[in-house]
mmCIF file of all heavy atoms in Angstrom:
data_model
loop_
_atom_site.group_PDB
_atom_site.id
_atom_site.type_symbol
_atom_site.label_atom_id
_atom_site.label_comp_id
_atom_site.label_asym_id
_atom_site.label_seq_id
_atom_site.Cartn_x
_atom_site.Cartn_y
_atom_site.Cartn_z
ATOM 1 N N ASN A 12 -16.841 -14.813 22.834
ATOM 2 C CA ASN A 12 -17.275 -13.952 23.940
ATOM 3 C C ASN A 12 -18.289 -12.917 23.479
ATOM 4 O O ASN A 12 -19.287 -12.650 24.175
ATOM 5 C CB ASN A 12 -16.062 -13.283 24.561
ATOM 6 C CG ASN A 12 -16.415 -12.541 25.846
ATOM 7 O OD1 ASN A 12 -17.275 -12.974 26.600
ATOM 8 N ND2 ASN A 12 -15.721 -11.431 26.089
ATOM 9 N N TYR A 13 -18.047 -12.336 22.307
ATOM 10 C CA TYR A 13 -18.919 -11.249 21.841
ATOM 11 C C TYR A 13 -19.881 -11.700 20.736
ATOM 12 O O TYR A 13 -20.598 -10.868 20.179
ATOM 13 C CB TYR A 13 -18.072 -10.084 21.327
ATOM 14 C CG TYR A 13 -17.262 -9.415 22.417
ATOM 15 C CD1 TYR A 13 -15.904 -9.674 22.565
ATOM 16 C CD2 TYR A 13 -17.874 -8.536 23.316
ATOM 17 C CE1 TYR A 13 -15.164 -9.072 23.564
ATOM 18 C CE2 TYR A 13 -17.141 -7.926 24.322
ATOM 19 C CZ TYR A 13 -15.791 -8.202 24.437
ATOM 20 O OH TYR A 13 -15.054 -7.603 25.430
ATOM 21 N N GLN A 14 -19.890 -12.994 20.421
ATOM 22 C CA GLN A 14 -20.801 -13.532 19.411
ATOM 23 C C GLN A 14 -20.678 -12.763 18.091
ATOM 24 O O GLN A 14 -21.665 -12.290 17.531
ATOM 25 C CB GLN A 14 -22.245 -13.496 19.913
ATOM 26 C CG GLN A 14 -22.525 -14.410 21.103
ATOM 27 C CD GLN A 14 -22.340 -15.872 20.751
ATOM 28 O OE1 GLN A 14 -22.820 -16.324 19.699
ATOM 29 N NE2 GLN A 14 -21.629 -16.608 21.600
ATOM 30 N N LEU A 15 -19.433 -12.681 17.573
ATOM 31 C CA LEU A 15 -19.159 -11.940 16.339
ATOM 32 C C LEU A 15 -19.110 -12.910 15.162
ATOM 33 O O LEU A 15 -18.206 -13.748 15.057
ATOM 34 C CB LEU A 15 -17.827 -11.193 16.451
ATOM 35 C CG LEU A 15 -17.729 -10.141 17.572
ATOM 36 C CD1 LEU A 15 -16.320 -9.586 17.630
ATOM 37 C CD2 LEU A 15 -18.735 -9.033 17.338
ATOM 38 N N SER A 16 -20.095 -12.810 14.290
ATOM 39 C CA SER A 16 -20.132 -13.699 13.129
ATOM 40 C C SER A 16 -18.960 -13.434 12.194
ATOM 41 O O SER A 16 -18.336 -14.356 11.672
ATOM 42 C CB SER A 16 -21.450 -13.518 12.369
ATOM 43 O OG SER A 16 -22.547 -13.830 13.216
ATOM 44 N N LEU A 17 -18.651 -12.148 11.982
ATOM 45 C CA LEU A 17 -17.506 -11.825 11.127
ATOM 46 C C LEU A 17 -16.190 -12.253 11.773
ATOM 47 O O LEU A 17 -15.224 -12.588 11.090
ATOM 48 C CB LEU A 17 -17.489 -10.326 10.831
ATOM 49 C CG LEU A 17 -18.614 -9.802 9.929
ATOM 50 C CD1 LEU A 17 -18.482 -8.293 9.750
ATOM 51 C CD2 LEU A 17 -18.592 -10.502 8.577
ATOM 52 N N GLY A 18 -16.172 -12.274 13.107
ATOM 53 C CA GLY A 18 -14.978 -12.753 13.812
ATOM 54 C C GLY A 18 -14.748 -14.227 13.555
ATOM 55 O O GLY A 18 -13.614 -14.669 13.314
ATOM 56 N N TYR A 19 -15.838 -15.025 13.597
ATOM 57 C CA TYR A 19 -15.724 -16.441 13.248
ATOM 58 C C TYR A 19 -15.232 -16.614 11.819
ATOM 59 O O TYR A 19 -14.382 -17.456 11.522
ATOM 60 C CB TYR A 19 -17.079 -17.135 13.413
ATOM 61 C CG TYR A 19 -17.501 -17.373 14.847
ATOM 62 C CD1 TYR A 19 -18.615 -16.746 15.367
ATOM 63 C CD2 TYR A 19 -16.776 -18.244 15.658
ATOM 64 C CE1 TYR A 19 -19.008 -16.960 16.672
ATOM 65 C CE2 TYR A 19 -17.162 -18.471 16.976
ATOM 66 C CZ TYR A 19 -18.287 -17.825 17.485
ATOM 67 O OH TYR A 19 -18.668 -18.045 18.766
ATOM 68 N N LEU A 20 -15.801 -15.822 10.909
ATOM 69 C CA LEU A 20 -15.414 -15.934 9.502
ATOM 70 C C LEU A 20 -13.936 -15.658 9.308
ATOM 71 O O LEU A 20 -13.225 -16.400 8.627
ATOM 72 C CB LEU A 20 -16.255 -14.961 8.672
ATOM 73 C CG LEU A 20 -15.933 -14.918 7.167
ATOM 74 C CD1 LEU A 20 -16.189 -16.275 6.531
ATOM 75 C CD2 LEU A 20 -16.751 -13.825 6.484
ATOM 76 N N LEU A 21 -13.454 -14.565 9.946
ATOM 77 C CA LEU A 21 -12.033 -14.212 9.819
ATOM 78 C C LEU A 21 -11.136 -15.271 10.444
ATOM 79 O O LEU A 21 -10.106 -15.655 9.879
ATOM 80 C CB LEU A 21 -11.781 -12.850 10.465
ATOM 81 C CG LEU A 21 -10.317 -12.369 10.453
ATOM 82 C CD1 LEU A 21 -9.818 -12.220 9.026
ATOM 83 C CD2 LEU A 21 -10.200 -11.047 11.207
ATOM 84 N N THR A 22 -11.544 -15.798 11.612
ATOM 85 C CA THR A 22 -10.731 -16.794 12.313
ATOM 86 C C THR A 22 -10.569 -18.058 11.494
ATOM 87 O O THR A 22 -9.452 -18.557 11.290
ATOM 88 C CB THR A 22 -11.357 -17.129 13.668
ATOM 89 O OG1 THR A 22 -11.447 -15.940 14.468
ATOM 90 C CG2 THR A 22 -10.513 -18.163 14.397
ATOM 91 N N PHE A 23 -11.689 -18.582 10.984
ATOM 92 C CA PHE A 23 -11.609 -19.837 10.235
ATOM 93 C C PHE A 23 -10.998 -19.630 8.854
ATOM 94 O O PHE A 23 -10.383 -20.549 8.300
ATOM 95 C CB PHE A 23 -13.002 -20.460 10.131
ATOM 96 C CG PHE A 23 -13.531 -20.954 11.452
ATOM 97 C CD1 PHE A 23 -14.680 -20.410 12.013
ATOM 98 C CD2 PHE A 23 -12.860 -21.953 12.146
ATOM 99 C CE1 PHE A 23 -15.143 -20.864 13.232
ATOM 100 C CE2 PHE A 23 -13.328 -22.409 13.365
ATOM 101 C CZ PHE A 23 -14.474 -21.856 13.915
ATOM 102 N N LEU A 24 -11.136 -18.427 8.286
ATOM 103 C CA LEU A 24 -10.481 -18.147 7.015
ATOM 104 C C LEU A 24 -8.960 -18.162 7.164
ATOM 105 O O LEU A 24 -8.244 -18.766 6.355
ATOM 106 C CB LEU A 24 -10.950 -16.800 6.466
ATOM 107 C CG LEU A 24 -10.349 -16.354 5.122
ATOM 108 C CD1 LEU A 24 -10.727 -17.351 4.024
ATOM 109 C CD2 LEU A 24 -10.812 -14.955 4.758
ATOM 110 N N LEU A 25 -8.478 -17.514 8.233
ATOM 111 C CA LEU A 25 -7.034 -17.512 8.483
ATOM 112 C C LEU A 25 -6.523 -18.903 8.854
ATOM 113 O O LEU A 25 -5.432 -19.316 8.429
ATOM 114 C CB LEU A 25 -6.707 -16.510 9.591
ATOM 115 C CG LEU A 25 -6.925 -15.033 9.264
ATOM 116 C CD1 LEU A 25 -6.621 -14.170 10.483
ATOM 117 C CD2 LEU A 25 -6.055 -14.610 8.094
ATOM 118 N N ALA A 26 -7.309 -19.641 9.652
ATOM 119 C CA ALA A 26 -6.897 -20.993 10.038
ATOM 120 C C ALA A 26 -6.836 -21.907 8.814
ATOM 121 O O ALA A 26 -5.911 -22.717 8.667
ATOM 122 C CB ALA A 26 -7.862 -21.555 11.076
ATOM 123 N N GLY A 27 -7.818 -21.772 7.906
ATOM 124 C CA GLY A 27 -7.789 -22.580 6.682
ATOM 125 C C GLY A 27 -6.603 -22.244 5.809
ATOM 126 O O GLY A 27 -5.988 -23.140 5.214
ATOM 127 N N SER A 28 -6.265 -20.944 5.725
ATOM 128 C CA SER A 28 -5.094 -20.546 4.944
ATOM 129 C C SER A 28 -3.809 -21.135 5.532
ATOM 130 O O SER A 28 -2.915 -21.575 4.790
ATOM 131 C CB SER A 28 -5.000 -19.019 4.887
ATOM 132 O OG SER A 28 -6.153 -18.460 4.283
ATOM 133 N N ALA A 29 -3.722 -21.157 6.861
ATOM 134 C CA ALA A 29 -2.536 -21.718 7.507
ATOM 135 C C ALA A 29 -2.419 -23.211 7.244
ATOM 136 O O ALA A 29 -1.320 -23.736 7.001
ATOM 137 C CB ALA A 29 -2.579 -21.438 9.006
ATOM 138 N N LEU A 30 -3.551 -23.939 7.272
ATOM 139 C CA LEU A 30 -3.519 -25.377 7.008
ATOM 140 C C LEU A 30 -3.122 -25.666 5.559
ATOM 141 O O LEU A 30 -2.348 -26.596 5.286
ATOM 142 C CB LEU A 30 -4.883 -25.993 7.318
ATOM 143 C CG LEU A 30 -5.263 -26.055 8.801
ATOM 144 C CD1 LEU A 30 -6.682 -26.591 8.966
ATOM 145 C CD2 LEU A 30 -4.275 -26.902 9.588
ATOM 146 N N VAL A 31 -3.668 -24.883 4.611
ATOM 147 C CA VAL A 31 -3.289 -25.066 3.218
ATOM 148 C C VAL A 31 -1.807 -24.758 3.032
ATOM 149 O O VAL A 31 -1.084 -25.466 2.313
ATOM 150 C CB VAL A 31 -4.157 -24.182 2.298
ATOM 151 C CG1 VAL A 31 -3.634 -24.210 0.871
ATOM 152 C CG2 VAL A 31 -5.605 -24.646 2.334
ATOM 153 N N GLY A 32 -1.316 -23.684 3.680
ATOM 154 C CA GLY A 32 0.106 -23.343 3.598
ATOM 155 C C GLY A 32 0.981 -24.450 4.161
ATOM 156 O O GLY A 32 2.061 -24.742 3.618
ATOM 157 N N MET A 33 0.529 -25.106 5.243
ATOM 158 C CA MET A 33 1.289 -26.222 5.820
ATOM 159 C C MET A 33 1.372 -27.381 4.833
ATOM 160 O O MET A 33 2.438 -27.984 4.651
ATOM 161 C CB MET A 33 0.628 -26.677 7.124
ATOM 162 C CG MET A 33 1.320 -27.845 7.805
ATOM 163 S SD MET A 33 0.483 -28.382 9.312
ATOM 164 C CE MET A 33 -1.062 -28.995 8.620
ATOM 165 N N HIS A 34 0.263 -27.692 4.179
ATOM 166 C CA HIS A 34 0.250 -28.788 3.204
ATOM 167 C C HIS A 34 1.160 -28.476 2.011
ATOM 168 O O HIS A 34 1.937 -29.326 1.562
ATOM 169 C CB HIS A 34 -1.187 -29.038 2.733
ATOM 170 C CG HIS A 34 -1.293 -30.075 1.664
ATOM 171 N ND1 HIS A 34 -1.144 -31.427 1.902
ATOM 172 C CD2 HIS A 34 -1.507 -29.955 0.320
ATOM 173 C CE1 HIS A 34 -1.269 -32.094 0.776
ATOM 174 N NE2 HIS A 34 -1.490 -31.233 -0.210
ATOM 175 N N VAL A 35 1.075 -27.243 1.500
ATOM 176 C CA VAL A 35 1.904 -26.858 0.354
ATOM 177 C C VAL A 35 3.385 -26.848 0.748
ATOM 178 O O VAL A 35 4.256 -27.289 -0.024
ATOM 179 C CB VAL A 35 1.466 -25.483 -0.184
ATOM 180 C CG1 VAL A 35 2.436 -24.989 -1.259
ATOM 181 C CG2 VAL A 35 0.057 -25.556 -0.749
ATOM 182 N N CYS A 36 3.685 -26.359 1.940
ATOM 183 C CA CYS A 36 5.078 -26.289 2.402
ATOM 184 C C CYS A 36 5.678 -27.687 2.512
ATOM 185 O O CYS A 36 6.803 -27.933 2.050
ATOM 186 C CB CYS A 36 5.137 -25.566 3.748
ATOM 187 S SG CYS A 36 6.805 -25.173 4.297
ATOM 188 N N HIS A 37 4.951 -28.617 3.081
ATOM 189 C CA HIS A 37 5.454 -29.984 3.214
ATOM 190 C C HIS A 37 5.606 -30.647 1.851
ATOM 191 O O HIS A 37 6.574 -31.383 1.592
ATOM 192 C CB HIS A 37 4.514 -30.800 4.104
ATOM 193 C CG HIS A 37 5.069 -32.128 4.497
ATOM 194 N ND1 HIS A 37 4.829 -33.283 3.782
ATOM 195 C CD2 HIS A 37 5.879 -32.487 5.545
ATOM 196 C CE1 HIS A 37 5.441 -34.290 4.365
ATOM 197 N NE2 HIS A 37 6.085 -33.848 5.431
ATOM 198 N N GLY A 38 4.680 -30.377 0.933
ATOM 199 C CA GLY A 38 4.756 -30.960 -0.396
ATOM 200 C C GLY A 38 5.867 -30.394 -1.253
ATOM 201 O O GLY A 38 6.243 -31.003 -2.262
ATOM 202 N N THR A 39 6.418 -29.229 -0.881
ATOM 203 C CA THR A 39 7.512 -28.647 -1.658
ATOM 204 C C THR A 39 8.766 -29.506 -1.593
ATOM 205 O O THR A 39 9.508 -29.624 -2.581
ATOM 206 C CB THR A 39 7.816 -27.227 -1.157
ATOM 207 O OG1 THR A 39 6.639 -26.422 -1.278
ATOM 208 C CG2 THR A 39 8.933 -26.583 -1.957
ATOM 209 N N LEU A 40 9.025 -30.124 -0.455
ATOM 210 C CA LEU A 40 10.188 -30.999 -0.330
ATOM 211 C C LEU A 40 9.838 -32.461 -0.573
ATOM 212 O O LEU A 40 10.679 -33.215 -1.093
ATOM 213 C CB LEU A 40 10.821 -30.860 1.059
ATOM 214 C CG LEU A 40 11.708 -29.642 1.323
ATOM 215 C CD1 LEU A 40 12.425 -29.788 2.651
ATOM 216 C CD2 LEU A 40 12.710 -29.420 0.214
ATOM 217 N N ARG A 41 8.651 -32.874 -0.207
ATOM 218 C CA ARG A 41 8.285 -34.288 -0.346
ATOM 219 C C ARG A 41 8.288 -34.707 -1.816
ATOM 220 O O ARG A 41 7.690 -34.062 -2.667
ATOM 221 C CB ARG A 41 6.898 -34.531 0.260
ATOM 222 C CG ARG A 41 6.541 -36.010 0.364
ATOM 223 C CD ARG A 41 5.166 -36.225 0.942
ATOM 224 N NE ARG A 41 4.131 -35.711 0.054
ATOM 225 C CZ ARG A 41 3.382 -34.650 0.299
ATOM 226 N NH1 ARG A 41 3.585 -33.946 1.408
ATOM 227 N NH2 ARG A 41 2.450 -34.273 -0.561
ATOM 228 N N GLY A 42 9.004 -35.785 -2.115
ATOM 229 C CA GLY A 42 9.110 -36.281 -3.483
ATOM 230 C C GLY A 42 10.289 -35.728 -4.262
ATOM 231 O O GLY A 42 10.516 -36.138 -5.404
#
């Protein structure tokens, strides 16, 4: 809405961290 470049950066940084956390969490039990 406000065309915030830093807002995009923060959003995708947090989303990437959540995806990595999901992968690590699943791998903790798998195997």
Side-chain angles (χ1 to χ4, degrees):
N12 189 35
Y13 294 102
Q14 294 296 314
L15 299 175
S16 300
L17 291 179
Y19 286 115
L20 178 62
L21 178 61
T22 300
F23 292 117
L24 180 62
L25 293 177
S28 300
L30 290 176
V31 172
M33 179 182 66
H34 176 74
V35 173
C36 190
H37 190 267
T39 301
L40 282 189
R41 189 181 66 250

